[in-house]
Amino acid sequence: MEDETKSLISLIALLLSSLGYSYVLATYMTKGLARLLFLLPTFYLLAIFPWYFTSSLVRGVLSFFITWIASFKLLLFCFYKGPLLASRNFLDFVAVAIFPLKIRENTHDPSSPAMVARYELVTLFNKPYLATSLQDFWGRRWNRLSSNILRQTIYDPTQNVLVGFVGAGKARVLAMVTTLVISGVMHELMFYYISCGTRPTWEVTWFFVLQGISMAFEGALKYLARVKGWTPVHPTVSNVLTLAFVSITFSWFLVLPVWRSGRNDCGFRPKILPFREYIDHSKPFQLLSELHYNLS
């Protein structure tokens, strides 16, 4: 038990050191690719971090908040965008990077003793059971944290690049589908952690691809209905249809893969310190080296 506690403390210290490296180094590096290259060690640590926990639930949670969300926040930070820009000190930087928090806009005193008052929780869900369309469900109600991050890192840049080539309408559709594909890949990675590195079946990715295609079809159908003057579907009916579609596809593409391959204990916990033991006994390094093969 004592060894596990020391290992956890060392792991947390390593995480904080990496974020400190990112926080300090960013002040000396110009924004863009240069900053991104120098932050690659931090991205790597965030990628292997969940493997140091044996619980499937813990790995799933950490792979979402640390490997995915924190990495994407740092990615935005490299290009001088995102929530980390509001950080006034290292504590702000760590809190916003790791947790679903944002700094209150009306807080001006960085030395305020009431640290909780400096932050507020990011709204994760906005009554998704009231969604009346897939666009409403995924764009405004379900997991607002990942939706906002994906919008800033994938949707907006993709739309801005494509709008000059295909026009505003097609750019929005292509950006939406691209965003859902990236979301699917990131969820696939989460299930890779949960299933202890089991070869992906890509059902998770296909779930989000299907949602993106369905939203594009939904938008086209709404446009046609306005042009033809069709009577709008009653909100209650559209609510039932939306929730039924999401629930059925979710059960088929996400629940079943986890049910088949998920394990609660991977059976390993690599050592952090000393450095030589970390290299000799680190299972995550082996898993990371096999990731390209497993995902191909």
Side-chain angles (χ1 to χ4, degrees), residues 89-103:
N89 51 54
F90 180 57
L91 179 60
D92 285 350
F93 191 84
V94 172
V96 175
I98 296 179
F99 302 105
L101 298 173
K102 62 180 179 180
I103 300 174

Side-chain angles (χ1 to χ4, degrees), residues 133-198:
S133 68
L134 292 176
Q135 294 177 340
D136 184 33
F137 182 88
W138 293 112
R140 291 180 287 272
R141 296 186 180 276
W142 183 262
N143 200 339
R144 301 300 305 137
L145 178 61
S146 61
S147 295
N148 290 333
I149 290 294
L150 285 168
R151 177 181 56 79
Q152 296 177 70
T153 55
I154 308 299
Y155 181 84
D156 289 344
T158 302
Q159 183 182 23
N160 292 337
V161 170
L162 294 177
V163 68
F165 296 95
V166 299
K170 292 181 179 178
R172 285 195 297 270
V173 173
L174 292 174
M176 178 184 64
V177 174
T178 301
T179 302
L180 268 296
V181 171
I182 298 299
S183 177
V185 172
M186 297 310 298
H187 280 84
E188 196 79 58
L189 182 61
M190 288 174 55
F191 283 94
Y192 185 75
Y193 288 101
I194 293 173
S195 61
C196 301
T198 301

Side-chain angles (χ1 to χ4, degrees), residues 128-132 134 137 238-248:
Y129 51 86
L130 296 180
T132 55
L134 292 176
F137 182 88
S238 59
N239 171 252
V240 172
L241 292 176
T242 299
L243 296 184
F245 179 81
V246 172
S247 299
I248 293 173

Side-chain angles (χ1 to χ4, degrees), residues 87 93 143 153 159 192 204 232 251 260 279 288 296:
S87 303
F93 191 84
N143 200 339
T153 55
Q159 183 182 23
Y192 185 75
V204 178
S251 300
R260 291 196 304 264
I279 294 298
L288 261 275
S296 62

Side-chain angles (χ1 to χ4, degrees), residues 68-111:
W68 179 2
I69 300 299
S71 294
F72 275 44
K73 288 178 180 178
L74 283 174
L75 179 62
L76 289 170
F77 183 66
C78 288
F79 294 90
Y80 210 68
K81 297 179 180 179
L84 293 179
L85 290 182
S87 303
R88 302 187 184 96
N89 51 54
F90 180 57
L91 179 60
D92 285 350
F93 191 84
V94 172
V96 175
I98 296 179
F99 302 105
L101 298 173
K102 62 180 179 180
I103 300 174
R104 293 182 184 273
E105 296 181 358
N106 58 351
T107 301
H108 301 288
D109 183 9
S111 61

